[in-house]
Amino acid sequence: VAAERSPPEVVIEAAVLLAAVGEYAPNRVDIFAPSGFRFLPNCFSPGQLEGVLKGRFVSCKERQTLFQAKILSTAVMMTKDLLDLASLPLTVRLLLKTPAITPAVNRWYARVSNRHGLLGWGMQKKTFPVRPMQMGAYFAAMSLSEVPFILEVKIRYALPHGGHIHVAGPRMYQLRCPVTNVLSPLGFAAPSCNNQDPILTGCWGLPTVNDPDPTPGLPLCDPNHELLLTFPQQDASGN
């Protein structure tokens, strides 16, 4: 199960790969979402039944199912006849609503059956989390070099004036101020940049890279591996 985007509390499209279903062809495939996710009543993405699933599946309906002592949202997909095993692997795209936060147990289950009973099941332990913010970090990965760092951020909720974006790199990296350029169609002013604010995590007792006698067994840490970006308030004239 995979999703290109997964903001909180919105309808997204998830791609479910049916790689194999066993030796016998099923006429029903059930997908169990983690607690908090909710499939739409008609859970196939638009165009699926007229496209890649034509002649294979006829419907996808959401059901609330008791599974492992929990009520989970389930996508019940019914085939036209028995699913042609030669058509596998097959990717099915489903619509579902995400929860506010990533569930503590973020596992997806699949179950296949026919009119005689259960044929098999599968589980995916590691899958996509709920992402309140999408970001990308781009730089030339050359060792012991000072290179430009580009941070791309897509924020779902409005950031209040005076709000912060906390940027933290790996512990041995250095992030340096100031911000030299902002690329935005909205004309944002460059945020102030600070790597000494007390809100920053710091190294939390880990030995620093300049420690002459670091504690054995603990990873080294550079105090400048994180910084805080603060966006100033603008008036009507843009100042």
Side-chain angles (χ1 to χ4, degrees), residues 85-198:
L85 300 183
S87 66
L88 302 179
L90 179 65
T91 298
V92 179
R93 299 187 178 277
L94 305 176
L95 297 177
L96 70 157
K97 186 175 181 180
T98 56
I101 59 175
T102 303
V105 180
N106 195 19
R107 296 177 181 175
W108 293 73
Y109 297 87
R111 185 172 65 187
V112 294
S113 56
N114 61 16
R115 62 179 60 91
H116 301 293
L118 182 65
L119 295 176
W121 63 277
M123 177 179 64
Q124 182 176 350
K125 293 183 178 180
K126 296 182 180 180
T127 184
F128 61 90
V130 176
R131 302 181 182 93
M133 181 175 68
Q134 292 178 284
M135 63 84 65
Y138 310 98
F139 58 93
M142 296 184 293
S143 62
L144 301 176
S145 301
E146 183 174 335
V147 298
F149 175 75
I150 300 174
L151 178 68
E152 179 187 24
V153 179
K154 296 180 180 178
I155 305 176
R156 172 171 168 76
Y157 301 110
L159 185 68
H161 296 299
H164 308 291
I165 294 181
H166 179 190
V167 183
R171 285 190 299 266
M172 294 292 289
Y173 281 61
Q174 286 187 0
L175 301 179
R176 297 179 179 176
C177 297
V179 176
T180 59
N181 196 9
V182 176
L183 303 177
S184 171
L186 301 179
F188 287 123
S192 62
C193 179
N194 183 2
N195 57 9
Q196 301 296 326
D197 196 284

